Amino acid sequence: MNHTPVEGFSKMSKEGKIEWLVNEYLDGSENALQTLKQYWNDDVELQRLHDEFSENTLSNFYMPFGFAPNFLIDDELHCLPMAIEESSVVAAASKAAKFWISRGGFKTQVISKTKLGQVHFMFKGDKEKLEHFFIETVLAKLFIDTEAITKNMQARGGGILNLKLVDKTAEMDHYFQIHAEFDTVDSMGANFINSCLEQFAQTLKRELFASDSFTSEEKESLQIVMCILSNYTPECIVRAEVSCPVEDLEEGNVTSAEFVEKFTRAVRIAEIEPYRAATHNKGIMNGVDAVVIATGNDFRAVEACAHAYASRNGKYSSLTHVEVKDGVFRFWLDLPIALGTVGGLTSLHPLVKLALQVLGCPNAEKLMGIVAVGGLAQNFAALRSLVTTGIQQGHMKMHLMNILNQLEATEAERNYFVNFFKDKTVSHHAVIAEFCKIRGVKSVEELKKG
Ligand code: MEV
């Protein structure tokens, strides 16, 4: 189908945008129009708030907002808010929480919380002269010139931690960086970091042009390429862990020693085998992202960082590790993660505010720990199923519910189906066949007609 480009879309009214979209891409369907409008909130102010989070907002996109209770984290009980569409993630988290509550719970530790940014620039000239000039002339001015930006952050206990010039010319001709380290306390700090970096670039340019040490060719060669924070924060790390005596890990008819052996092997496979590691880490991110989204943080940044970290030794590997020593099983996750509990959506989105309230209004460090626990719990639950019953048992139960929802099954029918599939394999075909049988029809089409 051919479409015509639209001019000034962002300036159209919401109604105008919807009309254009429906006519251009949805055959003018009244049904499509109603679907978009059906998700508007009756509270006009609340709707305006959501519209303004982003550009060209036409409707609201719902995600399930669930809670996983009974998380004992550093001796405090928590109920984890989780925004996630994948069936079984919240149930798996709750199950893992329940398992560990009687085994000492989860422990967390923020190992470091340095955030990073870089000014990428090109300079064709004397490297040693540049290095000397950076240390003697520029460095102190970078701090002075950013005082207006850093004042509030310093009052909160953060600010710029360290600045250095990095010579990258071995990898790309004439390429240098100002590599900057920051403590952004309880904010994610993206705006703060980027504002500092842009000021660093201006200061560098101004000082180099004012200096007598460089030739005019050298001065002209300076080109700022870009100033941007790095989402790779290997120095912003939290550890979440669980541990218990091996004998406390009996699993149904699997002995504790057998369970530990199987579990440990599964983790080792994810440590050495990238194909498995990607799926293993995806399971961790099921728990991480769900809490990150619920608490108004940037899950794309969190994902980018986690996977970069998982590859830090040149081969993609597991983010979790396991150890069995002196009869004690220890399972942990080292997660690099930059989070905020102030700024951004945290003070704007009513459900984010509620989620943070449920978590006891944590600071950024505490939230790092809680999120990491969500990831570790998820990984524990997935591996526990994978090495014992298999993952499909739990998944298919949720799958069954989704199919029954699509079929608009009644409460009595749902109960019948849960019972019916207790000892049978759930498949789309089998559910439909049984559904048609109990409704006395030959096909789903017949059902729809009726
Ligand atoms: C599914 O979303 C996540 C799992 O595949 C994770 C894993 O295999 O470890 C179950």
Side-chain angles (χ1 to χ4, degrees):
M1 205 208 289
N2 279 334
H3 296 287
T4 40
V6 58
E7 284 286 329
F9 186 67
S10 67
K11 295 193 180 63
M12 288 182 191
S13 68
K14 195 178 190 177
E15 292 280 357
K17 284 175 191 155
I18 292 185
E19 194 184 317
W20 176 84
L21 181 83
V22 169
N23 287 333
E24 189 68 26
Y25 287 93
L26 298 160
D27 298 327
S29 152
E30 182 60 27
N31 199 15
L33 187 103
Q34 284 318 317
T35 302
L36 283 168
K37 290 189 174 178
Q38 177 183 329
Y39 287 91
W40 285 0
N41 200 297
D42 289 341
D43 180 336
V44 176
E45 280 313 307
L46 188 65
Q47 187 54 60
R48 196 197 320 275
L49 179 76
H50 284 268
D51 287 352
E52 289 173 0
F53 287 148
S54 173
E55 274 233 319
N56 299 342
T57 308
L58 301 187
S59 190
N60 304 306
F61 192 94
Y62 287 3
M63 282 256 273
F65 184 40
F67 286 82
N70 300 325
F71 270 93
L72 185 64
I73 305 176
D74 299 326
D75 303 319
E76 269 177 27
L77 258 185
H78 286 281
C79 182
L80 261 54
M82 304 180 92
I84 185 152
E85 88 300 344
E86 185 174 330
S87 50
S88 83
V89 168
V90 177
S94 307
K95 234 171 141 183
K98 212 162 162 202
F99 182 91
W100 284 104
I101 198 170
S102 56
R103 293 168 173 84
F106 296 82
K107 301 281 181 247
T108 71
Q109 184 195 352
V110 171
I111 294 167
S112 52
K113 56 190 279 282
T114 303
K115 295 179 185 153
L116 306 171
Q118 296 161 323
V119 177
H120 304 267
F121 68 95
M122 313 306 276
F123 173 76
K124 295 182 196 171
D126 187 328
K127 278 199 257 184
E128 266 127 53
K129 210 162 60 177
L130 181 69
E131 247 151 54
H132 183 75
F133 165 74
F134 182 82
I135 293 165
E136 294 302 318
T137 311
V138 181
L139 191 55
K141 297 210 169 94
L142 296 179
F143 284 94
I144 294 167
D145 289 357
T146 45
E147 266 169 11
I149 308 169
T150 56
K151 203 168 163 234
N152 280 347
M153 194 60 87
Q154 277 172 355
R156 286 191 262 138
I160 302 165
L161 299 177
N162 192 27
L163 298 173
K164 62 181 179 203
L165 180 75
V166 182
D167 177 358
K168 301 289 281 184
T169 55
E171 286 156 82
M172 190 198 272
D173 287 346
H174 320 303
Y175 172 32
F176 293 86
Q177 297 170 349
I178 298 176
H179 185 89
E181 296 177 3
F182 302 89
D183 178 354
T184 61
V185 197
D186 287 329
S187 65
M188 199 260 187
N191 283 334
F192 168 75
I193 293 174
N194 289 335
S195 300
C196 287
L197 295 172
E198 288 187 4
Q199 180 57 54
F200 295 158
Q202 280 183 31
T203 303
L204 174 69
K205 214 167 173 179
R206 185 192 69 216
E207 291 303 317
L208 193 103
F209 271 77
S211 166
D212 295 333
S213 313
F214 295 94
T215 65
S216 53
E217 285 78 29
E218 282 175 320
K219 289 181 186 181
E220 292 301 325
S221 78
L222 174 70
Q223 272 182 40
I224 305 295
V225 180
M226 57 190 159
C227 309
I228 188 73
L229 92 169
S230 173
N231 284 125
Y232 183 41
T233 52
E235 302 273 315
C236 189
I237 295 262
V238 61
R239 174 170 294 175
E241 71 174 86
V242 285
S243 64
C244 71
V246 168
E247 63 263 24
D248 289 358
L249 287 166
E250 201 167 288
E251 261 304 296
N253 48 11
V254 181
T255 67
S256 55
E258 222 182 309
F259 175 76
V260 168
E261 194 191 357
K262 286 178 167 198
F263 191 96
T264 306
R265 245 192 262 140
V267 176
R268 295 274 176 265
I269 289 171
E271 284 172 340
I272 60 160
E273 164 56 53
Y275 283 95
R276 172 57 202 153
T279 319
H280 177 99
N281 289 345
K282 188 273 183 185
I284 296 172
M285 300 316 281
N286 277 344
V288 168
D289 286 345
V291 183
V292 166
I293 295 171
T295 55
N297 276 276
D298 179 345
F299 69 95
R300 286 86 55 209
V302 168
E303 284 278 338
C305 187
H307 299 296
Y309 187 75
S311 317
R312 69 194 178 286
N313 297 324
K315 184 173 166 188
Y316 189 85
S317 179
S318 170
L319 288 167
T320 52
H321 305 283
V322 66
E323 176 190 83
V324 182
K325 212 169 148 191
D326 302 329
V328 175
F329 168 89
R330 195 165 81 87
F331 178 51
W332 73 97
L333 164 68
D334 283 344
L335 187 70
I337 187 164
L339 295 177
T341 51
V342 297
L345 274 197
T346 58
S347 50
L348 288 175
H349 197 301
L351 286 176
V352 167
K353 283 201 262 184
L354 181 144
L356 288 168
Q357 219 177 328
V358 169
L359 292 174
C361 303
N363 61 16
E365 286 197 28
K366 206 157 179 196
L367 185 61
M368 285 166 75
I370 292 170
V371 167
V373 164
L376 185 72
Q378 209 52 237
N379 190 224
F380 180 78
L383 294 180
R384 186 182 174 203
S385 297
L386 283 167
V387 302
T388 55
T389 56
I391 206 77
Q392 285 309 83
Q393 197 183 75
H395 270 201
M396 287 325 249
K397 224 184 256 166
M398 302 306 282
H399 185 48
L400 171 64
M401 284 306 149
N402 284 340
I403 301 171
L404 292 174
N405 276 341
Q406 278 166 17
L407 294 170
E408 296 176 7
T410 63
E411 192 62 33
E413 285 167 339
R414 283 160 186 266
N415 292 338
Y416 169 82
F417 272 88
V418 170
N419 199 36
F420 181 81
F421 279 105
K422 238 180 195 153
D423 52 359
K424 295 178 194 67
T425 307
V426 177
S427 75
H428 193 262
H429 177 80
V431 178
I432 300 280
E434 185 61 19
F435 197 77
C436 289
K437 200 167 128 197
I438 64 164
R439 286 261 179 125
V441 292
K442 285 207 179 69
S443 68
V444 178
E445 283 66 39
E446 204 179 312
L447 262 179
K448 280 180 190 157
K449 270 189 225 145

